[in-house]
Amino acid sequence: EFMNGISEFRVLESQIKDKLQLEYVIIVAGNSDERYSVKEELGKACVQFLNSILTSKQTIAVTGGTSMAEVANQMKPLLHAPNCTFVPARGGLGEQVENQANTICAQMAKKANGNYRMLYVPDPLSEESYQSIINEPTIKDILEMVHDAKVVLHSIGDAFTMANRRKASDNVMEKLRAGNAVGEAFGYYLDEQGKVVYKVRTVGMQIEELKQAQHVIAVAGGKSKAKAIQSYFKQGKSNVLITDEAAAKELLKGD
Ligand code: BG6
C-alpha cells in the first residue's frame, strides 16, 4: 500500500475523498500559489504514487501545464515499470512550448528511462483541418495509444487564468464569461456544476474517454484552484487527487 507512513493530513485527506468521491487523495503541506517548493512536493508525491501503481509496458497519457512540468522535473527511473511509454493526452491547446504536453512527455520519458511519442498538431485547429488530421496514419497511431492509455496524468486550472495564458480570443473570453466558467481541464472549460462551457478544438483525449483508464490522476494545488478542482470533479472521471493543504482547506469551506 502506498504511503504506509502516517500522513500529517490523514483527516483532511479523507474529508476531501468523501466530498469529491475519490479513491485516493494525497495532500502536501502549504499553498503552491505562494511557494514554488509546494509544487515540487506535489510533483514528488505524484512520482511516488506512480511508482506504486505502474507496471511494465504501460502507456501513460499526460497533459501540459506547470504542475505536469514539475512532475516531469521530479521523475525518477520507474523501477517496477520498465518500457513505459508517455504520450501527450491532447494537442498544444495554445500553451507555450515548456508547458506543452509534448515537451513534458519527452522529459518524463527521459528521466523514467521510458519511451515517448509526440503529437504534432497545429493549434488552434479549424474544423476542416481537424477532420483531415485525425485521419493521418501517424496521428491516428498515437491517438489510439492515447485512447487506450491505462494511466492518465493531468492538472486542473482556473478557467480565466488558463484562458489568459493561452491568449484566448475575445470571442472565447465572452463565451467563458457568459457561461460562468470557473475551471479548466483537458481543454474543457467548466462552470461550477461541471458543465462544459467551451472546449478547445484539438485532437486527443476526450473527457468521456477517461472511463477507460484504470488510474486517472489529477495533480492540482493552490488556494486559487479550489473552485476549479470542485467543478472538475463534478464532471470528472479522475479517481486520484494530489493537492496541497491550502486548496484542500478552501475546498471544505462552507461545508
Ligand atoms: C494541464 C491541463 O495539465 O494543466 C490543463 O491540461 C490545466 O487543462 C493546466 O488547466 C493547469 O496548469 P498549471 O500550470 O496550473 O499546472
Side-chain angles (χ1 to χ4, degrees), residues 63-68 155-157 162 165-166 184-187 225:
T63 66
T66 59
S67 310
M68 285 300 114
S155 188
I156 301 164
M162 294 312 296
R165 188 163 97 191
R166 292 168 175 164
E184 190 277 349
F186 298 97
K225 284 193 182 185

Side-chain angles (χ1 to χ4, degrees), residues 61 89-90 143 146-147 149 152 186 188 203-207 209-210 213:
R90 297 206 66 189
L143 290 180
V146 171
H147 301 329
V152 181
F186 298 97
Y188 292 71
V203 298
M205 188 144 250
Q206 309 298 308
I207 278 191
E209 289 174 318
L210 292 172

Side-chain angles (χ1 to χ4, degrees), residues 123-138:
D123 177 54
L125 210 51
S126 70
E127 184 58 39
E128 257 179 297
S129 4
Y130 175 83
Q131 293 304 337
S132 58
I133 272 180
I134 56 174
N135 290 311
E136 275 296 320
T138 54

